[in-house]
Amino acid sequence: MIIVVKPEASEEEVDHIIKKIKDLGLQAHVSKGTERTIIGAIGDEAILQSVPLEAIPGVEKVLPILKPFKLASREFRKEDTVIAVAGASIGGRRIAVIAGPCAVENRTLMVEIAKGVKDGGAQFIRGGAFKPRTSPYAFQGLEGEGLSYLAEARERTGLPIVTEVMDPRDIELIAKYADVLQIGARNMQNFRLLKEVGLCKKPILLKRGISATIKEWLMSAEYIMSGGNHHVILCERGIRTYETETRNTLDLSAVPVLKKLTHLPVIVDPSHAVGKRDLVAPMAKAAIAAGADGLLIEVHANPEEALCDGEQSLKPAAFKQLMKEMRLIAEAVGREL
Ligand code: PEP
Ligand code: MN
């Protein structure tokens, strides 16, 4: 249920409403908008059937949330959510670009690539220290050592870090280094992991599962949010279809669909979607035109020698050129880059 608070309600009245909801065994999630405060009463709604919520002082009206995802829905929050991260933000007028290698490979290379993407205008650096590889024999990532190289790259560039977490046991360590934790496509429905990152204070970049519907994806966001972490960024990275010319099929229609269904920021990862370097730029531009709040782009100083995803990685110079071209598209759709 959504409880719309009267504009003139006092803080004590708001606290009292929250207490009532909690006493009923439900979760109370407060969303303070520019005009209104809304309280989501989340849990078994049958409990509310016999409770006259509208009789509580300060309550203006009570509305059901019809969607299965509650906290993630537009009904719960009308305004777009803007997530502030270490001096940067995702979800506002400015398009956020996250760039870097697929995997952290060594200190020198990580710092070099970070400097390159900063020079190109990226606001975040990325790099996997824990890698979800299809083959157990492929490079699995440098783990803790990789995290320290990311931290060094952040020190040298001032850019915040996005990196993947695959296992609840690694959350504590990764959260010490990362500014944003990424949940990869393969883990989108790892519900234990989602619940655990829901308890974490860092923003979560949630990639769409390889074969996930938009509704399933939003239910996964709901898992994280119901734990108390409302800072979720959705990332479309292509889905599996019958088409084999590209690594996946980039579902750009997910962007406007999500904009209707949710207040959460939506970004696009054209690199993992297309899997081929020459297709990254057109799809990155199309993503901005479709209304994406940001992009995740793989960049490597020497893609030929990359330990992971070299075939889809741009060199820093190509990334810089793409940023220039994307600026024109951003301007045309009333955004900044
Ligand atoms: C990645 O971003 O490095 C990655 C593994 O992506 P995905 O989970 O989308 O395959
Ligand atoms: Mn990759």
Side-chain angles (χ1 to χ4, degrees):
M1 291 283 185
I2 291 175
I3 297 166
V4 182
V5 177
K6 285 183 180 158
E8 69 276 13
S10 68
E11 248 174 66
E12 288 73 37
E13 283 175 332
V14 173
D15 288 345
H16 179 67
I17 301 168
I18 294 170
K19 182 171 180 307
K20 272 266 171 172
I21 295 168
K22 288 188 176 162
D23 287 350
L24 288 164
L26 299 170
Q27 288 183 357
H29 292 266
V30 181
S31 164
K32 285 203 166 95
T34 43
E35 287 164 22
R36 282 297 166 89
T37 294
I38 280 172
I39 304 172
I42 310 293
D44 180 4
E45 294 200 352
I47 295 170
L48 296 173
Q49 299 303 323
S50 54
V51 182
L53 289 173
E54 274 169 352
I56 305 174
V59 173
E60 182 166 292
K61 58 183 171 198
V62 180
L63 306 163
I65 304 179
L66 300 172
K67 300 280 189 312
F69 40 91
K70 311 286 177 189
L71 300 169
S73 74
R74 268 277 179 217
E75 291 158 273
F76 177 62
R77 192 178 152 85
K78 296 249 170 315
E79 298 95 345
D80 286 342
T81 286
V82 181
I83 299 177
V85 190
S89 65
I90 308 183
R93 195 176 123 81
R94 181 148 188 224
I95 288 162
V97 179
I98 303 164
C102 184
V104 182
E105 298 179 19
N106 61 61
R107 181 198 305 267
T108 323
L109 196 55
M110 190 59 230
V111 171
E112 183 190 345
I113 299 170
K115 285 182 176 166
V117 302
K118 178 170 183 164
D119 177 56
Q123 286 136 280
F124 293 83
I125 41 175
R126 64 148 281 148
F130 293 83
K131 292 303 305 173
R133 304 305 300 277
T134 303
S135 164
Y137 308 116
F139 176 59
Q140 304 284 309
L142 297 180
E143 305 192 346
E145 195 188 332
L147 294 173
S148 71
Y149 300 157
L150 278 168
E152 188 167 336
R154 172 177 51 202
E155 246 168 63
R156 304 279 287 269
T157 58
L159 299 183
I161 299 168
V162 180
T163 197
E164 177 160 355
V165 57
M166 297 198 295
D167 189 312
R169 289 169 295 189
D170 301 324
I171 294 174
E172 204 181 322
L173 174 69
I174 296 175
K176 277 193 192 132
Y177 291 89
D179 298 286
V180 176
L181 271 63
Q182 175 173 318
I183 302 281
R186 289 155 192 82
N187 273 315
M188 189 208 83
Q189 284 190 318
N190 180 339
F191 299 116
R192 291 291 294 269
L193 180 60
L194 299 177
K195 279 189 187 177
E196 287 295 325
V197 296
L199 302 173
C200 173
K201 301 271 176 281
K202 299 276 167 89
I204 308 299
L205 189 158
L206 178 65
K207 288 196 151 192
R208 182 178 186 174
I210 291 171
S211 307
T213 64
I214 290 174
K215 198 178 279 170
E216 286 164 341
W217 187 12
L218 286 169
M219 291 311 288
S220 292
E222 189 76 13
Y223 258 94
I224 300 170
M225 299 175 86
S226 68
N229 187 349
H230 289 199
H231 293 152
V232 179
I233 302 139
L234 299 165
C235 178
E236 163 64 41
R237 47 78 72 202
I239 47 175
R240 183 160 289 175
T241 67
Y242 48 79
E243 183 53 68
T244 55
E245 284 298 316
T246 47
R247 182 175 179 180
N248 292 289
T249 297
L250 182 59
D251 179 12
L252 271 187
S253 60
V255 177
V257 169
L258 285 166
K259 286 281 157 198
K260 272 205 258 179
L261 296 176
T262 181
H263 53 87
L264 296 172
V266 181
I267 70 165
V268 170
D269 168 357
S271 306
H272 290 90
V274 297
K276 289 176 187 163
R277 186 173 310 125
D278 59 327
L279 300 178
V280 171
M283 297 322 284
K285 289 186 240 175
I288 295 178
D293 296 305
L295 290 157
L296 189 158
I297 298 175
E298 282 191 341
V299 177
H300 197 287
N302 186 5
E304 229 177 280
E305 304 268 315
L307 296 180
C308 181
D309 288 349
E311 61 282 16
Q312 67 197 30
S313 299
L314 302 183
K315 285 190 179 179
F319 171 70
K320 192 172 181 173
Q321 175 60 28
L322 172 59
M323 287 290 283
K324 269 193 203 151
E325 292 167 17
M326 290 196 303
R327 253 171 226 127
L328 300 173
I329 312 282
E331 241 173 69
V333 294
R335 307 289 292 260
E336 263 174 64
L337 184 77

